[in-house]
Amino acid sequence: MKKDSSKTRDKTLISWKSLVFMAFATLWGFGNVTNGYFYFDGPKVIFSWILMFALYFIPYAMIVGELGSKFKDEGGGVTSWIQGTNGSKLAYYAGWTYWAVHITYIASKGSGGLKAISWMIFKNAETYDSFKTMHVQIVTLVILFLFAFIASRGLNPLKKMTSLAGSTMFVMGILYIILALAAPAINPNHEYLSFNWKMSELVPTINIKYITSLSILVFAVGGVEKISPYINKMEGDSSKEFPKSMIFAAAMVVISALLGTVAMSRMFDPEIFNASPEAFDSYVANGAYWSFQKLGEYYGLGNLFLILYALCNAIGQLSILVLSIDAPLRMLLEDDNTSQYIPRKLLKKNKYGAYINGIKMVVILSGAILAIQILLPSAASVLQQITKLNSVTMPLRYLWVFVAYFFMKKNEMDDGAFKFTKSKGAGMFWGAWCFILTLACCILGMYSENKVTFALNVITPVILVGLGLIFPIIRKREDAKLLETSK
């Protein structure tokens, strides 16, 4: 019996190889390749990817490993880490930030879903891009209202499809790289662009565009803290196996980024999408679809790869829309460490168990972003702008990882099984470095020559952070009034 139970227990443990693929699938997607390629002048992004991985992503992953090891019995992720190192008030702000950044993410999902459906039906970029911005945003608002209604009724018919769509998108991204690189050997008669390996073609030009686009790369490699709960569920010595998993996952991400860039360089000349602001917006909005369309042409399969990619993307975008309305809100309002600072009206549930007033707040804030985007010149510029806005706001949640790590090292609480560094000073340095780099990229990423985009990039984080500061004051007054009434 003892032998059998041991075998059963071992089957529940995760090998370092399995964790590598879990981390890779969580961290990486084809959109990271296309965004990097278009924002950083094609092949020149290779240099930036390497620097970003070496100076940010690998330390980030190791920091998460150490925090996960220290707080292995806590289930709240970053909120629990802040609770353990800084107390409940800052834990609330961490939880609030995680929820708040999803407001811009939610605003992007409807537009992304419409774009995918348009490509699936019309198989071109021109049809969607020809729609008036006002019409597109009105339809996007309707989609937001519809999915908010679904979330408010405790229904989510797309939840089961989310995982499948996400996995399929991951496979499609890997498939693209393999087939695109193999195409010249399999079909040498097709026209391909040549990749220039000269150093002058790979080193980026450091200018205002480059500096203000770094948030795109930070956004791409962030989020590794989702893997932290598994550090103490690994086979063998987790202090050795987890960092090995992170290193291999980082290597896979680097290889995917580099090979993906090489593959795209055989399809797209940087001079084309840098020809004008309109061309750039169009490539950012449509580049992924053109990539799969060209891939089908290489193999004589027409639009097959394009249709498959658009279908997976449409399902993924719309199902994630429901999850993003519901899940982050529940994480914020159902956590005792954070809900004590939230106004009581937002804690109200309807008969379906949904936080109805919280959902209304999501609709108002995300709807406001969609309404402001009506001022943008085209449907393509909306998608480009929301991508940039997400790169400015979403990394703000990473800041709390580095805050927790800095204070864990400062207070010498690092008694977990795995340590990124044993030195208190070195640990504080890496925590501060990653915090400063993330914040700097977010702030610099706000800049845009387009006044509407610039204003939205600045105002959105200010409003979201401001609400997080105001709500505890409102709750304190509510509690004081309730106390007086009960006397």
Side-chain angles (χ1 to χ4, degrees), residues 37 42-44 46 193-198 201-202 258 261-266:
Y37 191 83
K44 291 184 178 181
I46 289 176
L193 298 176
S194 59
F195 185 84
N196 194 332
W197 288 98
K198 291 182 179 179
E201 296 298 319
L202 298 179
L258 300 186
T261 300
V262 173
M264 292 198 70
S265 70
R266 307 301 300 273

Side-chain angles (χ1 to χ4, degrees), residues 348-361:
K348 178 184 176 183
K349 289 185 179 181
N350 62 15
K351 63 181 180 180
Y352 304 103
Y355 290 97
I356 186 63
N357 289 334
I359 291 174
K360 289 178 182 178
M361 182 172 66

Side-chain angles (χ1 to χ4, degrees), residues 70-71 84-85 407-416:
K70 163 62 181 176
F71 299 100
T85 56
F407 282 100
M408 182 182 72
K409 285 295 186 181
K410 182 177 184 294
N411 299 328
E412 298 181 333
M413 300 168 63
D414 51 339
D415 55 356

Side-chain angles (χ1 to χ4, degrees), residues 334-388:
E334 290 181 351
D335 188 330
D336 293 337
N337 294 325
T338 57
S339 62
Q340 62 178 312
Y341 299 102
I342 299 290
R344 292 181 181 275
K345 288 185 179 180
L346 293 178
L347 301 177
K348 178 184 176 183
K349 289 185 179 181
N350 62 15
K351 63 181 180 180
Y352 304 103
Y355 290 97
I356 186 63
N357 289 334
I359 291 174
K360 289 178 182 178
M361 182 172 66
V362 170
V363 170
I364 291 171
L365 293 173
S366 294
I369 294 174
L370 296 175
I372 293 172
Q373 288 182 313
I374 290 175
L375 299 173
L376 294 174
S378 67
S381 63
V382 168
L383 287 168
Q384 186 274 331
Q385 192 279 328
I386 201 68
T387 298
K388 198 64 163 59

